[in-house]
Amino acid sequence: MLNPIPDGKMYNFFIDDNVFFFDDICRHKFGSIFDSFYLAGLKQAHERFGTRFTLNTFYHNWHHPEFDLSQFPDRYRAEFEANSDWLRLAFHGHSEFPERPYSEAYPEKIAEHYGQWHQTITRIAGEKTLIAPVIFHFFDAVPDARRFMREQGMKFFAVRQGNAIVPNAEFDQYETPVDIILNLFKADIAGIRATLEKKAAAGQQKILIGSHEQYAYRKYVNHIPEYFDGLFAACETMKKHGYEPVYFNELV
């Protein structure tokens, strides 16, 4: 049974499709996870604006098929744990493709994929760094997959459309629209600010912000050079309007 959502202005910031940064750290044998430009950028956002991030992660790198998380060492575990107050890792799927993994491609494999991911991520980053996601890869999931992830602590379920957070008694979850996906704005930083300003001006108390990891990387075909400009703008706007960074799944 879900508890009521507490009052107050709060936002949850998730980033989907994470696996590139694991590959980079492993390949370059960095001394710190923050030698990764990507994690360094997120740390800068946290230090400047207080933002807390959920990184929804894959087990396998579809863009570099030779890599999966089994190759990642446990030497960074203490560093992940030391930053787990603001940097959390959540399950997103086995790999970026096929699309719609738990609604069409192979929904019957979710327990297997989650178990493999959970065991490996716990070794890599420690149990305290893990959190349930608020979104499925490509949004949709069959009922059994949705119930399975609810058992893993997924109390919020992101939907494609909607104007408010509403309870779903069948799945014992709150369904919440994603208010903004930053990479869809590309270089339109003003558009990111305006979208969030409008929601703040309307008095919306809970805001769900999303993005995707791959657009931060120059090697990615759809790289957005202004990736962190947009991310910083979103975080700054939330701080300006007095929104507290939280993990929605920990609220209820």
Side-chain angles (χ1 to χ4, degrees), residues 37 214-227:
F37 82 93
Q214 56 266 50
Y215 296 91
Y217 283 78
R218 291 190 181 95
K219 63 184 178 183
Y220 184 62
V221 64
N222 293 316
H223 168 59
I224 299 173
E226 302 83 4
Y227 182 90

Side-chain angles (χ1 to χ4, degrees), residues 25 27 44 52 65 71 107 116 142 167 190 195 206 214 221 229:
I25 292 170
R27 189 181 310 184
Q44 184 179 354
R52 297 178 175 183
Q71 300 166 43
Q116 181 184 49
V142 298
T195 299
K206 304 297 183 290
Q214 56 266 50
V221 64
D229 294 333

Side-chain angles (χ1 to χ4, degrees), residues 29-42:
K29 298 181 173 61
F30 289 144
S32 164
I33 61 173
F34 298 112
D35 289 336
S36 155
F37 82 93
Y38 173 72
L39 293 186
L42 300 184

Side-chain angles (χ1 to χ4, degrees), residues 19 61 64 85 105 115 128 141 158 183 185 209 212 225-226 245 248 251:
V19 74
N61 187 354
H64 176 208
D85 60 323
K128 64 189 294 186
N183 53 272
F185 287 77
I209 299 174
H212 292 76
E226 302 83 4
F248 280 0
L251 292 179

Side-chain angles (χ1 to χ4, degrees), residues 52-80:
R52 297 178 175 183
F53 294 96
T54 300
L55 306 186
N56 299 325
T57 64
F58 293 131
Y59 182 82
H60 169 259
N61 187 354
W62 187 87
H63 300 270
H64 176 208
E66 294 77 18
F67 179 80
D68 64 47
L69 293 184
S70 68
Q71 300 166 43
F72 196 88
D74 61 7
R75 59 178 290 206
Y76 304 101
R77 177 171 172 166
E79 193 171 21
F80 275 114

Side-chain angles (χ1 to χ4, degrees), residues 68-111:
D68 64 47
L69 293 184
S70 68
Q71 300 166 43
F72 196 88
D74 61 7
R75 59 178 290 206
Y76 304 101
R77 177 171 172 166
E79 193 171 21
F80 275 114
E81 291 178 326
N83 290 277
S84 62
D85 60 323
W86 67 271
L87 186 67
R88 300 286 189 89
L89 305 177
F91 175 73
H92 203 46
H94 179 73
S95 192
E96 185 172 357
F97 298 102
E99 299 179 356
R100 301 171 183 83
Y102 306 117
S103 61
E104 296 178 11
Y106 38 57
E108 73 283 354
K109 293 187 177 182
I110 190 167

Side-chain angles (χ1 to χ4, degrees), residues 2-252:
L2 293 171
N3 293 322
I5 301 173
D7 290 334
K9 296 195 295 186
M10 306 173 191
Y11 72 104
N12 186 125
F13 198 138
F14 70 84
I15 304 179
D16 282 348
D17 297 1
N18 287 272
V19 74
F20 284 9
F21 80 82
F22 286 110
D23 198 334
D24 277 357
I25 292 170
C26 191
R27 189 181 310 184
H28 296 289
K29 298 181 173 61
F30 289 144
S32 164
I33 61 173
F34 298 112
D35 289 336
S36 155
F37 82 93
Y38 173 72
L39 293 186
L42 300 184
K43 186 177 182 182
Q44 184 179 354
H46 169 69
E47 291 172 344
R48 291 175 61 185
F49 310 113
T51 308
R52 297 178 175 183
F53 294 96
T54 300
L55 306 186
N56 299 325
T57 64
F58 293 131
Y59 182 82
H60 169 259
N61 187 354
W62 187 87
H63 300 270
H64 176 208
E66 294 77 18
F67 179 80
D68 64 47
L69 293 184
S70 68
Q71 300 166 43
F72 196 88
D74 61 7
R75 59 178 290 206
Y76 304 101
R77 177 171 172 166
E79 193 171 21
F80 275 114
E81 291 178 326
N83 290 277
S84 62
D85 60 323
W86 67 271
L87 186 67
R88 300 286 189 89
L89 305 177
F91 175 73
H92 203 46
H94 179 73
S95 192
E96 185 172 357
F97 298 102
E99 299 179 356
R100 301 171 183 83
Y102 306 117
S103 61
E104 296 178 11
Y106 38 57
E108 73 283 354
K109 293 187 177 182
I110 190 167
E112 174 190 343
H113 289 172
Y114 179 85
Q116 181 184 49
W117 174 90
H118 185 274
Q119 180 179 26
T120 305
I121 286 290
T122 301
R123 174 184 64 79
I124 289 170
E127 190 74 37
K128 64 189 294 186
T129 307
L130 276 60
I131 194 168
V134 298
I135 192 169
F136 273 86
H137 190 34
F138 284 92
F139 280 95
D140 302 319
V142 298
D144 282 349
R146 187 166 169 177
R147 292 188 187 98
F148 174 81
M149 287 307 300
R150 175 64 184 89
E151 292 172 359
Q152 315 312 318
M154 189 178 184
K155 300 175 185 178
F156 283 77
F157 179 86
V159 294
R160 296 177 188 274
Q161 295 179 328
N163 297 313
I165 299 175
V166 296
N168 183 309
E170 178 183 359
F171 296 102
D172 191 34
Q173 287 176 320
Y174 285 109
E175 295 184 347
T176 179
V178 180
D179 293 293
I180 186 170
I181 297 178
L182 302 184
N183 53 272
L184 297 181
F185 287 77
K186 299 182 180 179
D188 183 11
I189 311 306
I192 290 173
R193 291 186 186 276
T195 299
L196 293 173
E197 292 274 1
K198 183 177 180 180
K199 293 180 181 296
Q204 184 172 327
Q205 285 206 342
K206 304 297 183 290
I207 293 180
L208 184 58
I209 299 174
S211 191
H212 292 76
E213 179 205 40
Q214 56 266 50
Y215 296 91
Y217 283 78
R218 291 190 181 95
K219 63 184 178 183
Y220 184 62
V221 64
N222 293 316
H223 168 59
I224 299 173
E226 302 83 4
Y227 182 90
F228 278 104
D229 294 333
L231 186 147
F232 293 157
C235 298
E236 183 180 33
T237 303
M238 291 292 90
K239 183 175 181 179
K240 171 185 172 183
H241 289 280
Y243 284 82
E244 177 187 0
V246 300
Y247 297 110
F248 280 0
N249 284 317
E250 293 186 342
L251 292 179
V252 298

